[in-house]
Each structure stands twice: as structure tokens, then as C-alpha cells.
Amino acid sequence: MSESRIAQVVAVDEGLEVSRIDLTSPLPQDFPPHPPELERLSYLRYRRLDGPADSANADAILVGHPGGLCGAHALDQVARNTMHAAATRGRCIEWWSIARRGDAAADHTGIDIARTAGDPDLAFDYYYRGRALDGRRFAGFATHRELRYTAELGIARAVLDQRELLVRELPDPRLRQRKLFLGGHSFGNFVTGAYTAWDFDGVPGYTDCAGVFGLDLLPVSDPYRLRTTPLVRTLARSAAGPHRLAVELLRRGLAPRVFPSFAEVLTFTTILALDALSHPEAESDRLRQLPRTPAWEFTLRLWFARGYREFRSGRPDPRELRFTCRGLLAAWIARGHSPISLFQIGVGDSPNRLLARTTFPAPEWAYRVPGLDRATTFAFGPGPRETPADRNLLQDCPSGGWPVHLDELARVIAGGPPGYADTYFPLRLLADGLFWAGARDGDLASLRHERGARALPRMTVLGDDSNPVLILLHLGLLVPRNTVRAHGYTHFDVVAAHRPPSGEVVSDALAEFIAAYTGRRDPRFIHSTAQARYGQKSRRSLDCLGQSTLWRDRR
């Protein structure tokens, strides 16, 4: 095996083999100083055990780019679901989950060793108590000033990395044109959209694939057709100024290069998932074990305060709340509990149901005022949060849940490497997102083929309860006509939902899309697994799968 390519099997279950593939890939000479781990490209390859060993012989290859703050393993559940859904339609496909280059910079030592040993305390001791593991001691969570190189990890770097990976793994361009489907979740759609419009030394990106798919955002590069409409093309160029300014501020360190404190919160979330897997019904001590730093005081009050007075005073102490390990993970990320709408996941409720509605961070009346209700829902979710009413009662959560199965979610969050979270997600990626507004300056100048990219076969799945995404798209009049709606799904549910025997709307829609472009569809499989499961609203959305206009929408 060549040293430039290393393949390691990381899981074999459910009739699937999951491998981590690492490709040596030196960065340019003028790239800022960076950890040696950045000198590689990585992805997770999912294939059927009864399928071909060579990717080129699969019926199709779906390439998924994870959303912001997420790593390759965040797409594990939707990858598995889609593989199984495609098999019921007579298609043997592969799924590749891309790991962004910057994800390799985080120190995963504690998480990896704790996962292998089945002992979450090893991870907590490594990150918070100075314990050395495997001869290594944690150097602390990096600040944005220590991460100068992240200012160069933008859309261009992500697109060029993905192009290099695909060409090295699938060198035949005709095969990529016939079998490769590019997509992403959330922010990953920005990379997909940019890729299809990119000019790779005279080769348009849209000629490098058979189609695109978007999970809870649109896989497009020019949603308003600013670059292809002569009357507004000059106006679109005005986005270059703000983009240049944002990039310069990031390079000089005058703007945060990563989200402050998010690395620590994401690492702690992974430890909670390890706890939930190892001893789900045992009482958790994690909140009481956390250091009393200003960042953690703010975070715990934000998560568990019942009103503004509690948030300001910190009394009663949120560390006094009692949860099982599984219950604490649910309280940390569940819809109706987490204070940030974009991070909420539908995993069910506490069976004790002794919960109190909060007036923090938004009171109940804010959801009833026209205009303010939409802004409140955008930020905090579709209704007042709930926290335990009785602090002496041990709070648990069912092991199942809908649409996300809590035990499966814990496995996904704790899984890897590469992991669930992009610990130091570069804010340069968000700055480069201005290409949606027409920015084409600097290293975005290679975005030249918007018209050709728009002609690709495309499908979009949106969660009905994905409030921030839906509100933004509706305000911008950007929801495609034949969008598949996942009823009751939040932003993360779209890639984390459990697939019961009756089917699952996201993976069924993806499988139908792939089946439509990889030979004749067997009519026995069309709609057979989804109609009875998701309610009338989703059924109507699924019914449009039989209409060819869905896959050929030119919006």
C-alpha cells in the first residue's frame, strides 16, 4: 500500500463496511505555519459488504460535505440510512463523508482513547485534569490568535481539497460524470454549490458530477442569479468590498478566526455522548465536575436558567441539577431544552415530565407578537424552553426518540475518527459565504460557471422544523418548487434521523433521486416505504418524487 494513501476499516456492521481514508496532501509553501496533521485529506467511505470492493463499480457514489461545526462522522446516520434505502431500490451505492482539512488540527487523543477503552473518565481527565494519555498531555484549547492558519481555510481551500480527493480516488472523468453525486448538509451546501461553479484550470466543476443534493440548504452558487442577470451583475460586484475587508480582518487577527469557547463546548458534548453510551442510566456528575471558569458559568446559565434573574445570579446553581448520563445528553442538545435553535435535535422528552417552562432567553409572550414571533423562533426554537421543575428529581430520557434515536445519536457524536465536530471551525468559511451575494474577488475569482451549474439535476430536502433555515429561505424566496419536506425535522434531524422498517423521508428521497439517474427505477419500490409513516404533509412532498420535474428543476 502506498504511504500517500492509508485505508483503515473503522466499523463493520449492518451489512456495511466503514473505512477511514487518508491521503497525503502537502499545502502550498506560502501557507501559514500549521500542525503537520493538516498535510492530509481524509474521508469516511461507506460501502456494502455484498457490494464491489472497487468504488468505480458501484452504481453511484454520494459525496457529503458536513455542515458548519460538524465533522465527517456527523453524516454517519444519513449515510447508513441512504445506503439501505438505495439497496431496497436495487442500487448498490457508496457514500463518502468529507472531513475538512482543518478538523485534523484538534487534539482528539482523550476522546479516541476513551472511546477505545470504554471509559469516558479518561477523556474528561485528559482535557480538564491534566492527565497524560499515551505519553501526551493536553496543551489546552487554542485561542483564535494561535490559529492564524485558519484564516486561509476558506471556500477555495475546501473546494480545491475536495477536487484533489475526488480526482485521486476516481481518476476517470467520465466515471465521475456518470456516477458522482455531490451534496452537503447546512453549510456543506456552500462548498457543493461553489464546487459545481468552479473553474478548475478550464474544466467547469459542473462537468465533474452527475447531480447535486442539498440537505437543509441549497447546493447552489448563485441563488439570486446575480452573476447571470446583466441588470444586477454590477450591483453584485459590491459584495467584493465587504468580503475583502472580512478576510483582511481575519488574517490580521482583528476578528475572531474561530468561534470563542465552542471548541470546549463541542469536546464536552462528545464526552457526554461517551457517558451516555457507557452507562446511560447512571447519575451523571459531569456538571459538578466542570471548572468554575467565566466561560462555563455563562454556558451553564444559558442552558439551564429559568429566568433572567437566575441567569444573572447563577442561583440556584445549575450544577445541582440531577440527570442520568443519557438524560444530560438529551438536555444538552434536545429540542425544547437547548437554548440555541440551530443546535436543537428531536430526541423525545423526559419520561418524568416534571418540567417548567422558562422565561429565558425568550418569554412566552415573545412567541405571540407578530413579527417578533418569527425572530424569536429563529433564535431560540419554536416555543419556550423547558428545564427540570424539581431539582431533586433524577431526570432521564427514553433510549429511543423520534425522529432521532438518542442511542444512535450518542454513537454518532462519540464516533470517529474523524469525529462528529469540527472543533475549530474556521470563520473564514462564513466570510467566504458572501459569494452567495455575488463576491468573486481574491481566491473566489474561480467561481465562473454559475449558469452551467444551475442546469445540473438537483434535489433539496428541508426539515419543516428547521426554523433558522426555513425562515431565511422563505424571506429570500429561495425555496425550490419541488422541495422534499421532512415533517417534524429540525436542522440536525435531517442528517441524524432514525430509519425504522417503514422508511425515513430524507434517505428515501435521496435513494429515489439516485435511482432516477442510475438506470430504470423498479416501480415496486417507489413510495412503498414512506407514505404511511410521515403524515399527510410529507406524503404530498414524497409524491412529487414521481414527477421528473423534481430532478430537473432549473430554479
Side-chain angles (χ1 to χ4, degrees):
M1 180 181 294
S2 171
E3 293 183 358
S4 64
R5 185 184 191 275
I6 300 175
Q8 177 185 5
V9 176
V10 295
V12 178
D13 53 35
E14 300 178 6
L16 305 177
E17 178 186 86
V18 185
S19 301
R20 171 181 172 167
I21 313 296
D22 292 319
L23 306 175
T24 300
S25 175
L27 285 161
Q29 292 288 335
D30 59 351
F31 199 83
H34 55 275
E37 290 81 4
L38 263 68
E39 299 280 330
R40 70 170 185 241
L41 305 176
S42 300
Y43 71 98
L44 290 175
R45 178 197 179 197
Y46 295 75
R47 76 171 192 90
R48 292 190 61 82
L49 289 172
D50 58 1
D54 188 348
S55 301
N57 294 326
D59 290 327
I61 302 163
L62 279 68
V63 177
H65 202 99
L69 299 175
C70 289
H73 207 259
L75 302 180
D76 181 81
Q77 195 62 45
V78 70
R80 292 170 178 272
N81 291 350
T82 305
M83 297 278 289
H84 294 311
T88 66
R89 291 157 173 82
R91 303 294 184 270
C92 185
I93 69 169
E94 290 197 6
W95 179 291
W96 296 1
S97 291
I98 302 294
R100 283 185 290 269
R101 191 185 287 260
D103 182 44
D107 183 356
H108 298 295
T109 302
I111 297 296
D112 293 341
I113 292 178
R115 183 194 309 113
T116 302
D119 185 358
D121 288 336
L122 293 176
F124 192 88
D125 291 349
Y126 180 78
Y127 293 108
Y128 290 102
R129 291 173 172 168
R131 180 172 180 172
L133 293 176
D134 200 20
R136 183 170 181 173
R137 197 177 299 275
F138 185 54
F141 294 100
T143 66
H144 85 98
R145 296 191 180 280
E146 300 173 87
L147 301 170
R148 180 185 161 213
Y149 62 86
T150 59
E152 306 303 325
L153 296 177
I155 290 287
R157 185 74 267 155
V159 167
L160 294 174
D161 285 347
Q162 184 164 309
R163 165 73 172 181
E164 178 185 346
L165 185 153
L166 295 177
V167 170
R168 288 174 64 176
E169 295 293 89
L170 300 170
D172 184 353
R174 291 171 299 179
L175 183 143
R176 297 197 299 271
Q177 290 171 6
R178 289 188 295 110
K179 295 188 176 185
L180 198 61
F181 293 83
L182 305 180
H185 171 241
S186 186
F187 186 84
N189 287 283
F190 279 64
V191 179
T192 300
Y195 188 102
T196 57
W198 207 264
D199 186 274
F200 296 104
D201 296 326
V203 178
Y206 66 84
T207 66
D208 212 31
C209 62
V212 294
F213 61 91
L215 304 179
D216 227 43
L217 208 59
L218 309 183
V220 296
S221 60
D222 187 20
Y224 292 105
R225 304 192 183 190
L226 300 177
R227 305 296 302 181
T228 56
T229 305
L231 292 178
V232 296
R233 190 177 299 162
T234 302
L235 179 63
R237 294 190 184 119
S238 63
H243 177 250
R244 280 194 298 268
L245 175 61
V247 171
E248 190 63 25
L249 291 175
L250 289 168
R251 286 173 171 164
R252 295 189 180 189
L254 299 177
R257 296 173 177 135
V258 297
F259 286 110
S261 301
F262 268 47
E264 194 165 357
V265 171
L266 292 170
T267 300
F268 182 68
T269 303
T270 306
I271 295 174
L272 295 184
L274 289 169
D275 284 336
L277 286 176
S278 299
H279 31 264
E281 297 180 0
E283 184 167 357
S284 174
D285 289 325
R286 293 300 179 210
L287 295 181
R288 292 181 283 276
Q289 291 172 349
L290 283 171
R292 290 189 176 272
T293 62
W296 273 118
E297 290 299 311
F298 173 84
T299 301
L300 294 182
R301 294 181 193 184
L302 178 65
W303 246 258
F304 297 112
R306 290 174 292 190
Y308 278 88
R309 180 177 297 177
E310 282 190 16
F311 178 73
R312 290 193 303 268
S313 68
R315 294 287 181 269
D317 190 344
R319 288 175 170 82
E320 297 172 0
L321 290 167
R322 299 181 64 206
F323 294 98
T324 64
C325 293
R326 185 171 54 207
L328 181 54
L329 176 64
W332 198 250
I333 48 87
R335 175 170 50 189
H337 297 275
S338 173
I340 303 174
S341 177
L342 203 60
F343 298 158
Q344 295 177 358
I345 303 176
V347 295
D349 299 309
S350 166
N352 298 320
R353 294 304 303 158
L354 292 178
L355 301 173
R357 286 199 164 191
T358 69
T359 59
F360 174 85
E364 194 166 353
W365 57 262
Y367 291 92
R368 297 194 296 265
V369 177
L372 181 60
D373 59 341
R374 181 166 284 193
T376 306
T377 299
F378 177 91
F380 307 120
R385 290 190 310 116
E386 295 179 325
T387 60
D390 185 350
R391 290 176 175 259
N392 295 317
L393 181 66
L394 184 64
Q395 296 289 330
D396 194 9
C397 189
S399 61
W402 188 88
V404 176
H405 194 294
L406 185 56
D407 289 347
E408 289 178 350
L409 179 65
R411 177 190 58 77
V412 172
I413 295 176
Y420 174 84
D422 186 351
T423 311
Y424 296 111
F425 177 73
L427 292 184
R428 170 65 187 274
L429 284 166
L430 294 186
D432 283 354
L434 283 170
F435 78 78
W436 259 33
R440 297 293 186 271
D441 59 299
D443 55 12
L444 297 181
S446 293
L447 282 163
R448 301 173 188 167
H449 301 289
E450 296 87 356
R451 192 183 301 275
R454 195 166 58 244
L456 280 170
R458 178 176 48 136
M459 70 154 294
T460 305
V461 182
L462 298 178
D464 266 1
D465 282 353
S466 180
N467 298 291
V469 172
L470 281 180
I471 290 172
L472 285 176
L473 293 181
H474 278 298
L475 288 176
L477 304 176
L478 288 177
V479 178
R481 289 188 302 275
N482 290 318
T483 294
V484 176
R485 302 295 186 102
H487 182 55
Y489 281 38
T490 69
H491 187 55
F492 275 95
D493 293 351
V494 171
V495 293
H498 169 67
R499 180 176 176 82
S502 56
E504 188 275 324
V505 61
V506 178
S507 53
D508 286 337
L510 281 170
E512 281 290 314
F513 176 55
I514 299 305
Y517 283 93
T518 54
R520 287 187 61 185
R521 286 183 291 179
D522 187 332
R524 292 175 300 171
F525 295 122
I526 299 175
H527 315 313
S528 62
T529 60
Q531 288 192 351
R533 178 74 172 92
Y534 301 104
Q536 187 64 32
K537 190 169 186 179
S538 284
R539 187 178 304 134
R540 288 198 300 270
S541 299
L542 280 165
D543 283 345
C544 72
L545 291 170
Q547 302 172 11
S548 61
T549 53
L550 174 64
W551 313 132
R552 304 180 187 278
D553 182 15
R554 297 293 192 264
R555 181 178 176 83

